[in-house]
Every structure is written in C-alpha cells, then in structure tokens.
Amino acid sequence: MDTIEIVNYESAYKEVFRDLNVEWISAFFKMEASDYKALDNADSYILQNGGHILVALLNKEPVGVCALIKMNDPVYDFELSKMAVAPKAQGKKIGWLIGEAIKDKARSIGAKTLYLESNTILTPAISLYRKLGFIEVFGRNTSYERCNIQMALVL
C-alpha cells in the first residue's frame, strides 16, 4: 500500500523542486526567464517573499511539488505555481492531494484568492484545476509565452 504525505519544503528538496518542473516544462514547452527565476531561487524568490512550497512524498520519496507565490496584486493574494508530479507517480491522485493541501495552506495564512496560469494543451492539469475549484479569468498580463489560460479561485 502506497503512503502519500504532503510536507513543507526544506532545502533538501531544492533539486527535486527544480528537476520535476524542468522535466514537464521541457517536455511540452521551453524554459522561460520566469521559470528560471522561481526554480533557481526558490528560497529568495518564493519563500523569503512570503510564499510557500509543499512537497508530496510517495513512500517517503519526493514525487510532487507545488508553490504559492505571493503576488503584489489588488485582486489576487497568491499564485499557485510550479505544480509538478513525477511521471512514475501520476495516476495516484497526488496532484489532487497537493492541490488541496496548497489551498489549505493558503487559507491558513489568510489568503482569500488564488491565481494560476497554464496552457490548454495540458488537459489533465486544466481538469485538475477545475476540480480544485478554479474558474477561467481573462485580461491579466503574463510573463509566460506559453500561457493561454488564466484561472482563479476564491477561497
């Protein structure tokens, strides 16, 4: 029986946070400046700016990650970003579990709204975001070339 646990990020997970994201981004798109900023500087860019990262462990092995990046925005408190699950762990509801855990984390720190950017070719991801309660929003500026859908969630 698989054991799945969601834990807070610590420096031991720095490489897995980066590697899981580089793997999926490179498989579908190309790495962009905003990716490098978040993935190469998780401590200074995400954590020290009031954000959080959660890690999903499957039988004690890190196989999933998701970040909350503090936004300087009048509407949205945090961006749900850099969600990734290792291919070998997909199909085990890890995306759902880490998504629910990141929503709980956001609520616990007083967030009222979450925002995310994605691409509609990532059908399983878009489906997951909808199951988590996100709805499509329009008209936001984005720093990602690959972004063709923006979604938000009121907590």
Side-chain angles (χ1 to χ4, degrees):
M1 181 82 169
D2 287 331
T3 303
I4 300 169
E5 185 181 6
I6 309 297
V7 300
N8 287 315
Y9 174 91
E10 52 190 61
S11 58
Y13 300 125
K14 183 178 183 170
E15 279 188 42
V16 78
F17 177 65
R18 186 183 197 288
D19 292 349
L20 286 174
N21 276 287
V22 168
E23 181 179 21
W24 82 259
I25 294 167
S26 299
F28 291 95
F29 308 102
K30 68 176 174 39
M31 290 285 290
E32 298 183 41
S34 293
D35 295 313
Y36 290 111
K37 188 168 25 173
L39 298 175
D40 292 340
N41 308 289
D43 287 330
S44 61
Y45 182 72
I46 299 171
L47 302 174
Q48 292 169 14
N49 285 323
H52 296 272
I53 301 170
L54 296 180
V55 179
L57 305 177
L58 175 63
N59 302 321
K60 306 276 187 217
E61 179 188 353
V63 295
V65 293
C66 187
L68 280 177
I69 299 176
K70 182 85 173 115
M71 295 180 72
N72 182 14
D73 186 274
V75 178
Y76 302 113
D77 298 320
F78 286 89
E79 179 182 2
L80 184 152
S81 185
K82 304 303 176 225
M83 180 187 268
V85 176
K88 67 182 177 186
Q90 291 175 2
K92 298 182 183 293
K93 307 252 184 265
I94 289 171
W96 167 259
L97 293 170
I98 204 166
E100 283 294 314
I102 211 86
K103 285 168 42 181
D104 290 344
K105 173 62 86 174
R107 281 187 201 97
S108 78
I109 56 176
K112 303 285 185 241
T113 55
L114 297 181
Y115 170 82
L116 67 80
E117 298 180 332
S118 192
N119 188 294
T120 52
I121 69 164
L122 303 172
T123 307
I126 301 302
S127 176
L128 172 64
Y129 300 144
R130 286 195 166 103
K131 286 178 189 165
L132 288 168
F134 283 84
I135 59 168
E136 196 166 348
V137 295
F138 301 93
R140 311 289 300 179
N141 288 330
T142 178
S143 62
Y144 290 101
E145 286 179 31
R146 66 178 174 263
C147 174
N148 73 354
I149 186 171
Q150 299 166 326
M151 303 178 86
L153 173 68
V154 176
L155 295 167

